[in-house]
Amino acid sequence: MNVLVTIPFSHFCEKARWALDHTRTPYVEKRLLPPLHLLGTVPRGGRSTPLLVTDEGTRLPDSTDILRWLDDRSPGALYPRDPNARGEVEALEDELDQTVGPAVRRVVYQALFSSEGDVLTPMFRGSSRGIQRVASPVIARVAKPFIRRGLKIDAARAARSRAKLDAALDTLDARLADGRAYLVGDAITAADLTLASLLAPLVQPPEHPVLGSIGSRAPALDAFRDEYRARPSGRHALALYRNRAPSMER
Ligand SMILES: N[C@@H](CCC(=O)N[C@@H](CS)C(=O)NCC(=O)O)C(=O)O
């Protein structure tokens, strides 16, 4: 069986999870809260999540590797067969991974960390199971400095990330201005799925398999949600989530 190691609420993990669901590929998800995710990734030769160990034993330590592997098994499911269109999708995916993914993460963590009270524990509790769920207040306390230091979360950097995010979304909004249903061509591709997954922590789609049931609990995030839902790229993400493939988790 394919094993997907995740930090459950991670938007890069949601990208891989959605691609597995979209290609109707069964998998078992090992949900590990940070920093416990290292117990799932390091012994498998990686560090970050998502990490997929395929049923043949291949280790794929990056979301894009996972999407390429899935498309090789179901050609055309995530990347168009036409080479020019495929190049366009790959370039968009790469740009989203490099700019939107890290920027959204920093903006969201800064909003959470600057909120009143403990907003990390409800997120940890709502996205985990079993012993991790019970221990989520303790894990959240350990994780906070780990995340803050590891991802360099502070107000000045978050402001710069927000400017980068808005510039990247301006370009995507312009592409969507003609009312097209998908970023490239006439069907969902890796580019759409990446945009929607990576924007999900900001636009909070109710259909999100993990975040959908947690809610934001941070007023700063509520303001972002309303702002980004109003943009064409945010509306596009929400529309894609309304048709998100059902879970193939076993
Ligand atoms: N380029 C990677 C980025 C993955 C990534 O940044 N994962 C984060 C969660 S959003 C992570 O696992 N961070 C913890 C760590 O690196 O130890 C991908 O697309 O898979």
Side-chain angles (χ1 to χ4, degrees), residues 133 198 232:
R133 192 183 178 94
L198 297 186

Side-chain angles (χ1 to χ4, degrees), residues 148-176:
R148 198 194 281 281
R149 230 177 311 114
L151 297 175
K152 301 190 173 73
I153 310 295
D154 61 52
R157 285 192 175 93
R160 288 201 291 277
S161 292
R162 196 147 124 79
K164 274 191 208 162
L165 169 66
D166 288 345
L169 294 186
D170 283 345
T171 310
L172 291 161
D173 288 352
R175 183 183 266 268
L176 293 164

Side-chain angles (χ1 to χ4, degrees), residues 24-177:
R24 307 199 49 73
T25 310
Y27 59 98
V28 172
E29 183 172 343
K30 279 200 183 306
R31 294 183 173 198
L32 294 166
L33 295 171
L36 298 176
H37 70 283
L38 295 171
L39 299 174
T41 53
V42 173
R44 294 178 171 89
R47 180 186 160 101
S48 68
T49 58
L51 183 151
L52 182 74
V53 182
T54 72
D55 40 18
E56 301 118 24
T58 308
R59 291 160 197 210
L60 302 167
D62 178 271
S63 63
T64 300
D65 296 344
I66 296 169
L67 268 62
R68 302 278 159 96
W69 177 78
L70 288 167
D71 191 75
D72 285 347
R73 289 173 27 131
S74 313
L78 291 162
Y79 301 92
R81 291 166 195 257
D82 170 70
N84 289 334
R86 181 176 178 126
E88 224 181 314
V89 168
E90 287 181 349
L92 280 167
E93 180 187 15
D94 202 40
E95 171 69 13
L96 288 160
D97 284 348
Q98 301 301 322
T99 58
V100 172
V104 166
R105 184 167 54 196
R106 186 174 278 141
V107 165
V108 169
Y109 274 127
Q110 174 60 23
L112 288 173
F113 291 169
S114 56
S115 299
E116 295 263 317
D118 173 12
V119 290
L120 217 49
T121 297
M123 194 168 96
F124 277 36
R125 188 182 291 125
S127 64
S128 60
R129 304 161 181 158
I131 183 77
Q132 291 186 75
R133 192 183 178 94
V134 176
S136 50
V138 179
I139 304 172
R141 208 171 315 128
V142 174
K144 196 171 174 179
F146 173 87
I147 294 169
R148 198 194 281 281
R149 230 177 311 114
L151 297 175
K152 301 190 173 73
I153 310 295
D154 61 52
R157 285 192 175 93
R160 288 201 291 277
S161 292
R162 196 147 124 79
K164 274 191 208 162
L165 169 66
D166 288 345
L169 294 186
D170 283 345
T171 310
L172 291 161
D173 288 352
R175 183 183 266 268
L176 293 164

